[in-house]
Amino acid sequence: LRLRVRDDIVRQLSILISLRQILISLAEEHVDTIMPGFTHLQYAQPTTLAHHLLAHEAAFSRDFQRIAGALGRVDWCPLGAAAFASTSYPIQRELTAEMLGFRGVLDNTMDAVGSRDFALELLSDLSILMTHASRVCEELVIWSSNFARFVDLDDAFCSTSSIMPQKKNPDTAEVMRAKAASVIGSCTAALGIVKALPMSYNRDLQELTPGLWRGIQDAKHSTRLLVDMLATATFNKDTMAAEAGKGYSTATDFADMLVQK
């Protein structure tokens, strides 16, 4: 478990680097792209697309830090714990840990066998990550609608309707929102499995493992697709600029100016 989770974390961190890079790159392109800012999904104050995109990048930056921190708690070798009370054979736990690239051994053998908090931590972190990804997808769904027309998603990430030939549906973003719920579900199930287990090993733990893999895979595939979906999106600058001044969005700055005078 720890060997595979360690590799999966490294892959997820690599994808997060790509995701943050594309958001930063898009922000650099759209420093002067004016758009409406929102609170309560209502026009609030004008802002820039760069400002908006970097808000998402800041959230993914914290996701990176959380998952990187989880790696440090996964990277410990349980070998030599045996059933839970270690073994009388003259083994060298530190040697096997070194050969497998672990930073060291888990000192308490009962803890080594019976604990899954490394899996709970990772699933929790991935749930937060996917919540952030889902928020991006929600905006892409809204922004790509004919009501907003802020963005055009590449055809590769959309589909036609099953019956209406004129439709272009943002299917990938919609499925990704659902995948966020799937990862959260895996985390909730894992917490429920572990919450009342006495030390050390219990067969219940075998039910945790499929959910762990499912959560890892859903997060990995979703965030990788999000990178490509953002990289190929076309933002409609003129539409955003035209909407930026609507809804009395400059009223706050006008009031502030009057007060300061």
Side-chain angles (χ1 to χ4, degrees):
L1 283 175
R2 288 176 178 271
L3 281 170
R4 176 171 164 182
V5 168
R6 187 176 65 179
D7 291 343
D8 285 328
I9 287 177
V10 172
R11 279 190 286 269
Q12 183 62 71
L13 291 174
S14 177
I15 293 170
L16 269 173
I17 289 173
S18 297
L19 180 54
R20 293 171 61 194
Q21 284 176 334
I22 191 61
L23 286 167
I24 291 171
S25 177
L26 286 170
E28 289 174 341
E29 294 177 23
H30 292 284
V31 170
D32 298 319
T33 300
I34 306 299
M35 66 170 289
F38 300 91
T39 62
H40 310 280
L41 207 58
Q42 305 293 320
Y43 288 169
Q45 293 178 276
T47 186
T48 64
L49 181 56
H51 187 196
H52 197 112
L53 293 171
L54 290 177
H56 288 301
E57 192 280 330
F60 289 127
S61 171
R62 293 189 295 274
D63 291 322
F64 184 94
Q65 293 168 11
R66 272 187 287 268
I67 296 171
L71 178 60
R73 284 173 285 281
V74 168
D75 197 20
W76 296 89
C77 185
L79 286 182
F84 77 87
S86 191
T87 176
S88 59
Y89 290 95
I91 61 172
Q92 295 181 355
R93 297 189 69 206
E94 290 77 11
L95 176 60
T96 54
E98 181 182 350
M99 292 173 69
L100 292 171
F102 286 105
R103 64 176 60 190
V105 299
L106 290 163
D107 292 327
N108 187 290
T109 56
M110 187 178 294
D111 175 64
V113 171
S115 297
R116 293 293 184 276
D117 53 304
F118 70 91
L120 301 180
E121 181 179 9
L122 178 59
L123 285 171
S124 298
D125 294 344
L126 293 177
S127 295
I128 298 172
L129 165 62
M130 286 299 292
T131 299
H132 291 151
S134 183
R135 294 185 72 180
V136 176
C137 290
E138 173 73 3
E139 290 184 341
L140 291 175
V141 170
I142 294 172
W143 289 6
S144 65
S145 70
N146 285 326
F147 293 106
R149 295 177 291 110
F150 283 4
V151 67
D152 291 319
L153 299 177
D154 191 87
D155 289 351
F157 302 98
C158 301
S159 76
T160 58
S161 165
S162 59
I163 185 173
M164 294 168 282
Q166 83 282 9
K167 295 288 294 298
K168 179 179 178 180
N169 300 325
D171 284 11
T172 302
E174 293 174 349
V175 172
M176 206 177 299
R177 286 186 309 194
K179 289 295 185 183
S182 177
V183 176
I184 293 169
S186 294
C187 180
T188 302
L191 288 165
I193 289 169
V194 174
K195 69 173 180 61
L197 295 184
M199 282 293 179
S200 88
Y201 184 76
N202 298 270
R203 186 64 72 181
D204 312 51
L205 291 174
Q206 73 178 13
E207 288 297 308
L208 183 151
T209 305
L212 174 62
W213 301 148
R214 183 167 55 251
I216 289 172
Q217 293 300 308
D218 284 347
K220 179 179 70 174
H221 294 316
S222 295
T223 48
R224 186 66 193 87
L225 281 169
L226 184 56
V227 173
D228 295 334
M229 187 159 55
L230 287 169
T232 56
T234 302
F235 293 93
N236 300 320
K237 298 181 181 181
D238 293 340
T239 301
M240 287 182 165
E243 294 293 317
K246 292 184 178 180
Y248 300 102
S249 64
T250 58
T252 302
D253 288 295
F254 185 69
D256 286 344
M257 180 189 70
L258 293 176
V259 171
Q260 290 174 33
K261 277 193 170 186

